[in-house]
Amino acid sequence: MNSILKITVSCLLVFNLNANAQVKQQSIPRVDQMPNYPKPFQIIDYNKLAKDFDKTVYDFNAKGKFWPMVWIDKSHKNYPQDVVGLYTAVGDVRQGANNKGMFHEALGTMGATLGASLVGIDKTKQQNRNYVGMLKNYFNKDTGWDIMMNNTCPEVALLGGGYGRDWWYDVYPNLLFYAVYDQYPKEPEFDKIAKRIAEKFFKADSILNGNYNYSFFDYAKMKPMTNNICAQPDAAAGHAWVLYAAYKKFGDKKYLKGAVSAMNAFEAQPINPTYELLMPFGAYLAARLNAEEGKKYDTNKMLAWSFDGTAICREGWGVLVGNWNGFDISGTVGSTVDHGGYGFLMNTYDAAWPLVPMVRYDQSYAHAIGKWMLNAANAARFFYPQYMPDEHETIPELAEVTKGVIAYEGIIKKSNLTGYDHIQAPVAQGDGPLWVLGENPRESQFSIYGSGHVGIFGSIIRKTNVEGILQLNLLATDFFRDKAYPSYLYYNPFDGEKTVIIKTPKGKKVDLYDTVSGKFVARNVSTSSQIKLSGENAAVIVIVPSKAKITYQDNKMFANGIVIDYHAKLQK
């Protein structure tokens, strides 16, 4: 007979008020400004959207204006194979057959490959093509840089995308590659490429010796460089994330040393060094190194840098907060100051990649991250024309070209595009027409490269039986992790107590452990269990085999030798 246990745990889950709670919740000031329950409220099915995007956009026979959105690049840069090109924006005149088919961005193809993989699509066996293997061509060995870059070659470097001159553009493709590598560990040559990247990053960190205040790094000459782009010291967070992933994969302590060195340089910054996408990875790695390696990095500071919009170089870059004419847009990521605020879809999706699994390593942020993700998941739909009212879009009459899977690049408070300043906030639009003035069509406001990252949300977010309480998968994007049991974050945005049903694997008896309260809240569950979650609080539930052997070492709690709590108090 199935066991359905009704466990009342509200007395255990009252954070900041209940002395019995194992871990006191820490606030993120920017998140405190967000609504508990954003309005108008709707959580769309990001998992289905990711699958639909992949099926629609990778159709070489797609019909319609500007379709198909993919083409084959036969230039064979770096590796002797054809590769797929994916448009950055709809109708982008730089791409497709133009420029010999060579201009396509790793941010697009890698992001789309990762997003699809995270929702269960095998991109090595699709339409008789191996889209995963094609990513090797972004490994710029022909130039001697020997890292993944945003383009395959310098011939198209000046067309856009920051190749070889804008540090985050050179670093971030390597994080994307490592994430894809985690999903496909047996892909031929990926081991070799991953090690080569780690070697380059380790040597670069050694040369930089704690000083990351440069515009970019020339990985061929192994020299830090300065140009008209301001310094990007948050590149250290990218170096550190890749090096720690390499350490977890290959076991070479040299890479751990490099990750720690880069993190030390990162934390030593006197002002907020946020530039684009890398800052949240620093916050994640701070929490993980503290938990796994006994370090004492200031996660609070790095989260504040990620959220608060206090960046100097990239002025105001962070997480947006606000209600614009009845629309809560809080949780989106971008500029907090550009034309009153300008959030971007890709940045919003990608911030969840490190920040959600961070809660595994430091559950004191369960409430803050749960609240942010509820806001972000609600607001992200407004980038898509089918979910944004026409009167808040620049080109609603052209939305058919998106086929329901491509979103606007951004949401802005006051449009920066000519002819749209009459639209009331929030305004769904994109920068594509500004990239090639007078040539890119209005439809280039629809962002393919940003929309391709939807699988990050799609792999993390699930609805529960309570509208407004999400189940967030803490393992989905926790790449190169140690063995772990299923772990989920639940945040209750309501004032009152709510009963949440937690479904468990069928045919197995499990116990439910909450890392926030530090207690088992259900035992011997074989199908599902109900927990009562008190108002405006969160729980982190780990699904542990029943009768598992519980042991402790230092601050860690283990079940059958697998960590289930990195900050446990010994159970009496």
Side-chain angles (χ1 to χ4, degrees), residues 465-571:
N465 61 299
V466 180
E467 184 72 11
I469 296 182
L470 303 179
Q471 179 194 71
L472 303 178
N473 187 340
L474 302 186
L475 302 187
T477 57
D478 191 14
F479 303 119
F480 298 98
R481 56 172 168 78
D482 294 336
K483 288 183 179 179
Y485 295 116
S487 304
Y488 302 99
L489 168 60
Y490 301 87
Y491 162 69
N492 178 7
F494 303 104
D495 292 337
E497 181 180 87
K498 297 293 182 181
T499 300
V500 180
I501 297 174
I502 298 178
K503 297 179 181 179
T504 61
K506 293 183 179 179
K508 298 179 180 179
K509 288 200 172 183
V510 297
D511 300 335
L512 305 183
Y513 176 77
D514 173 28
T515 69
V516 176
S517 66
K519 296 186 181 296
F520 283 93
V521 297
R523 297 276 193 181
N524 296 315
V525 181
S526 58
T527 300
S528 64
S529 180
Q530 298 179 11
I531 66 169
K532 289 187 177 179
L533 186 58
S534 59
E536 297 184 27
N537 285 307
V540 174
I541 302 297
V542 185
I543 300 177
V544 180
S546 289
K547 299 181 181 179
K549 182 180 179 181
I550 303 299
T551 57
Y552 298 84
Q553 182 178 349
D554 300 324
N555 294 324
K556 300 182 182 70
M557 178 180 177
F558 299 80
N560 291 342
I562 295 174
V563 178
I564 62 173
D565 192 339
Y566 288 93
H567 302 279
K569 291 180 180 177
L570 185 62
Q571 304 295 305

Side-chain angles (χ1 to χ4, degrees), residues 213-291:
N213 293 305
Y214 295 95
S215 303
F216 72 102
F217 192 90
D218 187 321
Y219 293 90
K221 298 177 181 177
M222 297 306 290
K223 289 177 57 178
M225 307 294 286
T226 300
N227 58 21
N228 63 319
I229 299 172
C230 63
Q232 299 179 35
D234 60 343
H239 273 181
W241 189 94
V242 167
L243 287 167
Y244 195 64
Y247 165 65
K248 299 299 287 188
K249 175 65 179 180
F250 302 115
D252 190 335
K253 289 191 174 181
K254 174 177 68 175
Y255 300 141
L256 173 60
K257 178 182 177 182
V260 169
S261 172
M263 279 296 290
N264 289 344
F266 179 58
E267 186 175 53
Q269 290 299 310
I271 60 173
N272 185 347
T274 294
Y275 188 77
E276 182 82 18
L277 283 168
L278 297 172
M279 181 61 67
F281 291 90
Y284 159 85
L285 197 56
R288 187 169 176 182
L289 287 171
N290 291 349

Side-chain angles (χ1 to χ4, degrees), residues 413-429:
K413 192 169 188 180
K414 187 72 172 178
S415 181
N416 61 346
L417 300 177
T418 302
Y420 301 112
D421 57 359
H422 64 284
I423 302 176
Q424 295 297 304
V427 184
Q429 64 160 59

Side-chain angles (χ1 to χ4, degrees), residues 164-192:
R165 62 185 183 275
D166 193 346
W167 208 348
W168 85 270
Y169 269 115
D170 296 330
V171 171
Y172 196 59
N174 296 278
L175 278 72
L176 285 166
F177 167 75
Y178 259 82
V180 173
Y181 176 39
D182 176 86
Q183 301 293 294
Y184 301 94
K186 296 182 180 180
E187 183 64 24
E189 295 197 57
F190 271 25
D191 282 349
K192 179 181 177 182

Side-chain angles (χ1 to χ4, degrees), residues 7 24 425:
I7 309 294
K24 181 179 178 180

Side-chain angles (χ1 to χ4, degrees), residues 40 60 86 107-108 110 143 147 151 160 162 183 189 208 224 241 260 312 321 328 341 396 442 525 553 563:
F60 282 82
L86 182 70
L107 292 181
M110 282 189 181
T143 62
I147 64 169
N151 305 121
Q183 301 293 294
E189 295 197 57
L208 290 161
W241 189 94
V260 169
I312 303 299
V321 172
D328 280 317
R442 291 194 296 158
V525 181
Q553 182 178 349
V563 178

Side-chain angles (χ1 to χ4, degrees), residues 211-377:
N211 179 14
Y212 275 76
N213 293 305
Y214 295 95
S215 303
F216 72 102
F217 192 90
D218 187 321
Y219 293 90
K221 298 177 181 177
M222 297 306 290
K223 289 177 57 178
M225 307 294 286
T226 300
N227 58 21
N228 63 319
I229 299 172
C230 63
Q232 299 179 35
D234 60 343
H239 273 181
W241 189 94
V242 167
L243 287 167
Y244 195 64
Y247 165 65
K248 299 299 287 188
K249 175 65 179 180
F250 302 115
D252 190 335
K253 289 191 174 181
K254 174 177 68 175
Y255 300 141
L256 173 60
K257 178 182 177 182
V260 169
S261 172
M263 279 296 290
N264 289 344
F266 179 58
E267 186 175 53
Q269 290 299 310
I271 60 173
N272 185 347
T274 294
Y275 188 77
E276 182 82 18
L277 283 168
L278 297 172
M279 181 61 67
F281 291 90
Y284 159 85
L285 197 56
R288 187 169 176 182
L289 287 171
N290 291 349
E292 292 189 335
E293 306 297 334
K295 301 299 180 183
K296 297 186 181 299
Y297 290 113
D298 189 346
T299 310
N300 255 331
K301 178 170 75 171
M302 296 177 193
L303 284 170
W305 281 347
S306 299
F307 277 83
D308 286 354
T310 54
I312 303 299
C313 165
R314 197 69 178 273
E315 184 187 3
W317 208 255
V319 178
L320 279 67
V321 172
N323 181 289
W324 297 346
N325 294 315
F327 293 83
D328 280 317
I329 53 78
S330 293
T332 54
V333 180
S335 172
T336 63
V337 297
D338 186 2
H339 290 76
Y342 198 173
F344 294 94
L345 182 62
M346 187 182 78
N347 298 68
T348 304
Y349 282 152
D350 288 19
W353 161 3
L355 291 177
V356 171
M358 181 195 72
V359 177
R360 281 194 66 223
Y361 302 102
D362 193 339
Q363 63 266 42
S364 68
Y365 296 105
H367 179 275
I369 296 301
K371 181 177 178 179
W372 164 65
M373 271 299 291
L374 184 66
N375 277 273

